[in-house]
Amino acid sequence: MNVKEIYSWKEFVEAIESLNGQREDYMSKTPVAVSEFLFRGQSDSHWKLETTLERFVRAGISLLHYYDFVSVIKSKIESITDKQWSIPSRDEYAEWCTKQECRPLWSFPSADYFAYLRHHGFPSPLLDWTRSPYIAAYFAMIETPKVGVEKVSIYAYLEFAGVKISDVEAPYIESLGQYLKTHKRHYLQQSTYTICTKGKGRQMYYDNHENVVTVNSDRQDLLWRLDIPICERHNFLAKLELMNINSFSLFQTEDKLMEHIYISDVLLGKHLK
């Protein structure tokens, strides 16, 4: 992983342009596809790349074990929300899991349902990204800084720059793509999700993304981290506001409207002194 210190909005924009230039260089040197950049903002540079499932359940959990639980609670969620999801039976999902000796994990079953759970705060094996570095900057900077936090981080991830290979027993990251039927903010935020899995016998387990990106391959799972001092928060939020990237535009709820008004009219507008 390449770590770069960023000290201003101007340097951030230049760093993004440099990354895009590196991607274009990869494209000029390979006849095979090069993935798009994915970005992720985190409000503390000390945080690792972890899914919400990893934060709640530290031990590795199999794909089937997690599926067993979320399939049980589906009827309760559907009863309360009046939403419906079509997901495989347990036997169908178990059969799919045992066929994953040959990656990639094409056609991940129940991706729409899993994305819905992730968007609404349920512990999830999906790591969420955005295709916009500026939306990632919003998520890095929007939270009121906690005591002791000096820097935020914005990650840039390139899944492959050519043919992607893997060993079924080794951790492997794959993007689920952007076209999912889920909450509208998935599209407002230009979201994409990745999962990291590894095989053990005939079972597949969720694993930590950093177990892959620390391998330092030069053709796949490339990761950059831009660290930005929290003192730049005001400047970044002001620039993002000019781009209409704010709490209301990305969530479109009344709660986030109130947050947006506070940020734009009080914090940035310097009213109510």
Side-chain angles (χ1 to χ4, degrees):
M1 178 169 60
N2 189 319
V3 180
K4 182 177 178 60
E5 299 287 336
I6 300 293
Y7 296 101
S8 67
W9 175 264
K10 181 175 182 291
E11 289 187 14
F12 172 63
V13 173
E14 290 173 349
I16 296 304
E17 290 176 349
S18 176
L19 288 172
N20 288 331
Q22 290 184 58
R23 180 175 181 271
E24 289 176 3
D25 187 52
Y26 280 123
M27 293 174 65
S28 70
K29 294 178 179 179
T30 177
V32 196
V34 176
S35 61
E36 293 186 6
F37 267 113
L38 302 180
F39 300 91
R40 176 176 171 83
Q42 297 193 162
S43 57
D44 188 336
S45 62
H46 290 105
W47 290 352
K48 294 183 177 181
L49 283 177
E50 288 185 320
T51 64
T52 52
L53 181 63
E54 289 174 280
R55 295 177 206 163
F56 283 87
V57 183
R58 288 294 170 183
I61 183 172
S62 73
L63 274 65
L64 186 57
H65 185 186
Y66 183 80
Y67 183 83
D68 282 342
F69 185 71
V70 297
S71 61
V72 167
I73 65 172
K74 186 172 80 76
S75 59
K76 185 174 185 178
I77 295 172
E78 290 178 335
S79 297
I80 296 171
T81 64
D82 290 328
K83 293 179 169 60
Q84 300 288 323
W85 291 273
S86 177
I87 66 174
S89 67
R90 187 186 191 279
D91 288 343
E92 290 170 335
Y93 194 83
E95 182 181 2
W96 176 82
C97 287
T98 61
K99 290 181 178 179
Q100 298 314 306
E101 290 86 3
C102 297
R103 284 175 172 155
L105 303 174
W106 296 120
S107 302
F108 184 79
S110 309
D112 294 348
Y113 178 47
F114 277 37
Y116 172 86
L117 294 175
R118 173 65 191 91
H119 259 294
H120 289 278
F122 190 84
S124 169
L126 307 186
L127 191 63
D128 48 324
W129 304 79
T130 174
R131 299 185 305 285
S132 166
Y134 304 106
I135 292 176
Y138 161 86
F139 282 106
M141 291 293 187
I142 191 60
E143 288 188 17
T144 301
K146 294 182 173 60
V147 175
V149 174
E150 298 180 351
K151 300 175 185 177
V152 304
S153 292
I154 297 172
Y155 287 88
Y157 172 62
L158 196 64
E159 186 179 352
F160 53 84
V163 177
K164 187 170 183 178
I165 60 175
S166 71
D167 179 342
V168 71
E169 296 290 328
Y172 180 84
I173 297 174
E174 185 172 6
S175 167
L176 298 186
Q178 58 182 288
Y179 298 109
L180 299 173
K181 184 181 179 181
T182 183
H183 197 280
K184 67 179 180 181
R185 64 175 175 250
H186 170 85
Y187 294 98
L188 295 174
Q189 298 168 12
Q190 299 184 41
S191 298
T192 297
Y193 308 94
T194 57
I195 56 172
C196 182
T197 61
K198 68 176 180 181
K200 186 177 180 181
R202 291 181 61 80
Q203 282 281 4
M204 297 292 291
Y205 288 79
Y206 291 112
D207 202 29
N208 183 272
H209 282 64
E210 292 198 0
N211 290 337
V212 178
V213 296
T214 54
V215 174
N216 293 323
S217 167
D218 64 348
R219 284 293 172 180
Q220 64 186 52
D221 301 309
L222 306 172
L223 188 72
W224 292 260
R225 193 182 83 204
L226 309 179
D227 287 348
I228 308 166
I230 195 63
C231 63
E232 281 295 304
R233 178 174 183 254
H234 186 284
N235 293 333
F236 269 65
L237 291 177
K239 294 292 187 182
L240 294 170
E241 180 66 27
L242 292 175
M243 301 168 72
N244 196 34
I245 295 177
N246 55 57
S247 299
F248 185 62
S249 68
L250 295 179
F251 289 87
Q252 295 190 355
T253 65
E254 291 185 18
D255 290 348
K256 290 300 182 179
L257 172 62
M258 298 303 110
E259 182 177 80
H260 169 235
I261 291 173
Y262 166 74
I263 294 292
S264 62
D265 289 36
V266 180
L267 182 66
L268 302 181
K270 298 182 180 179
H271 297 302
L272 300 178
K273 291 183 178 179

